[in-house]
Amino acid sequence: MCFSQFELELESRSKFLTDTSIRLYTCSLFDDVALNRIREKEGISGKFNFVLVSKTLHHLRTDECVEEHECQEDEECCKYGLNEEYVFAKLLSLGERVIIYEPIKTDGDLDKTRGRGGNFTKKELLQVFKYLSENEKYKVRFIRPQIFDLDKTTLYRVESMLRQVDILCFYVEKNSNKS
Amino acid sequence: MCDEKDDLNKKLTEKHLELEEKMENLEESLKIWTDAITELSEIEDAFKTSEKPEMRARRFWMLERILLNRFILRLNITQAKS
């Protein structure tokens, strides 16, 4: 029997047929003990196929201000940095593919607490993509607003793209050709 | 007696406020998750894995299960017609 004729239809319909259970946990991504406890409870061993970081990458900032100013006690004007190497290594240790869906800063940051949070500026995002494109250990593909692979030769497209959109989506995988 | 009642009222009020706050936080978490799931359709291309044979195999397994359900459904229809 040939299944290929049904594949497309089944693939689209499977979204409605697949049972999904969702459980909510509160846990820091960087708290290995708590994270492992949850994984154990859920019977999860090994990596996930996907890790979706939905509007959350800017919450994975460090706890050190990168602004050139004298930090006030309330840190209202402070902005923590992002350790790209550490964050992506951590995310890729959890899943084969890390999908990032991230807004770009417009006026006002409702979710900023001290120096943490606060959406990324275009400049900050450009820095992230520069880092990812310069490291051959990553395979990066943009999904939204347009689909293309990111590398040194396509980095030039990112700057103009960031000027035109307020949200973007890309994914990162370990490059199987590089260690 | 009156003091005991006041203490109890105070404790209950505190507990009520505490639970109310907890409930608000949970509602907020649920809204974030619901929004994220609703937005999945906008980024479904990010989940395409045709270049990865091992994931493809898993997907086929899922399809096979669905196909089986459909096949049973079709058989039932045929039986009903006859």
Side-chain angles (χ1 to χ4, degrees):
Chain A
M1 180 185 266
C2 176
F3 293 147
S4 59
Q5 66 189 88
F6 301 114
E7 187 183 339
L8 198 63
E9 189 188 358
L10 288 169
E11 200 165 3
S12 63
R13 283 176 182 246
S14 65
K15 290 171 194 165
F16 306 107
L17 293 170
T18 307
D19 284 334
T20 305
S21 67
I22 298 171
R23 281 181 282 277
L24 302 178
Y25 290 100
T26 301
C27 169
S28 164
L29 178 69
F30 304 111
D31 182 347
D32 286 338
V33 176
L35 199 59
N36 285 337
R37 204 180 297 136
I38 293 168
R39 286 159 63 90
E40 204 173 295
K41 189 179 171 191
E42 291 293 336
I44 297 164
S45 60
K47 286 187 181 182
F48 291 94
N49 294 101
F50 304 103
V51 171
L52 173 61
V53 182
S54 183
K55 298 178 182 172
T56 306
L57 188 66
H58 60 280
H59 285 284
L60 304 180
R61 292 175 184 272
T62 60
D63 54 2
E64 281 178 22
C65 181
V66 291
E67 291 287 352
E68 288 179 7
H69 66 188
E70 195 170 326
C71 299
Q72 294 173 2
E73 198 176 336
D74 63 4
E75 294 190 354
E76 199 177 326
C77 298
C78 291
K79 188 168 69 181
Y80 298 160
L82 180 78
N83 185 336
E84 297 95 346
E85 186 171 12
Y86 179 64
V87 165
F88 283 106
K90 180 70 188 178
L91 291 169
L92 285 167
S93 73
L94 296 172
E96 299 288 345
R97 179 182 294 180
V98 174
I99 301 168
I100 309 285
Y101 187 46
E102 185 71 15
I104 304 168
K105 184 181 179 180
T106 50
D107 289 339
D109 282 344
L110 296 175
D111 58 357
K112 184 175 182 296
T113 308
R114 300 182 77 87
R116 187 164 285 118
N119 291 334
F120 288 123
T121 60
K122 293 177 178 68
K123 192 180 167 189
E124 284 178 295
L125 281 170
L126 198 59
Q127 185 59 40
V128 172
F129 294 126
K130 193 166 181 290
Y131 165 77
L132 290 172
S133 67
E134 285 173 354
N135 279 275
E136 292 184 334
K137 61 183 174 184
Y138 302 117
K139 180 191 167 195
V140 183
R141 177 169 287 174
F142 275 100
I143 298 296
R144 185 180 164 164
Q146 44 192 275
I147 297 176
F148 69 93
D149 291 335
L150 176 73
D151 56 36
K152 282 179 200 168
T153 64
T154 56
L155 182 64
Y156 75 96
R157 295 174 66 174
V158 176
E159 198 169 353
S160 65
M161 190 179 73
L162 289 174
R163 281 200 296 268
Q164 294 165 26
V165 295
D166 55 6
I167 196 158
L168 48 84
C169 177
F170 63 98
Y171 68 71
V172 183
E173 291 176 326
K174 276 185 184 163
N175 192 346
S176 52
N177 299 326
K178 305 281 171 185
S179 58
Chain B
M1 180 71 179
C2 197
D3 282 349
E4 276 179 26
K5 204 173 175 182
D6 281 349
D7 278 352
L8 186 64
N9 270 338
K10 198 179 166 189
K11 276 181 188 169
L12 284 172
T13 307
E14 278 173 8
K15 189 71 184 169
H16 178 76
L17 288 172
E18 187 188 312
L19 288 172
E20 223 171 40
E21 193 185 336
K22 201 173 174 183
M23 182 86 117
E24 275 174 23
N25 288 338
L26 286 170
E27 276 177 13
E28 184 63 26
S29 292
L30 192 60
K31 189 181 177 307
I32 290 167
W33 276 89
T34 311
D35 287 349
I37 289 166
T38 308
E39 287 161 356
L40 279 181
S41 62
E42 293 174 22
I43 55 168
E44 60 186 356
D45 282 346
F47 294 87
K48 284 185 180 168
T49 56
S50 56
E51 290 166 22
K52 293 210 154 190
E54 69 274 19
M55 289 185 184
R56 189 77 180 148
R58 188 174 172 184
R59 186 187 283 181
F60 266 114
W61 178 77
M62 289 166 69
L63 280 175
E64 200 176 21
R65 280 181 59 193
I66 294 159
L67 192 65
L68 188 63
N69 289 343
R70 192 181 170 88
F71 189 56
I72 290 166
L73 187 70
R74 279 190 173 179
L75 273 181
N76 287 344
I77 291 167
T78 311
Q79 279 173 348
K81 276 182 184 170
S82 63

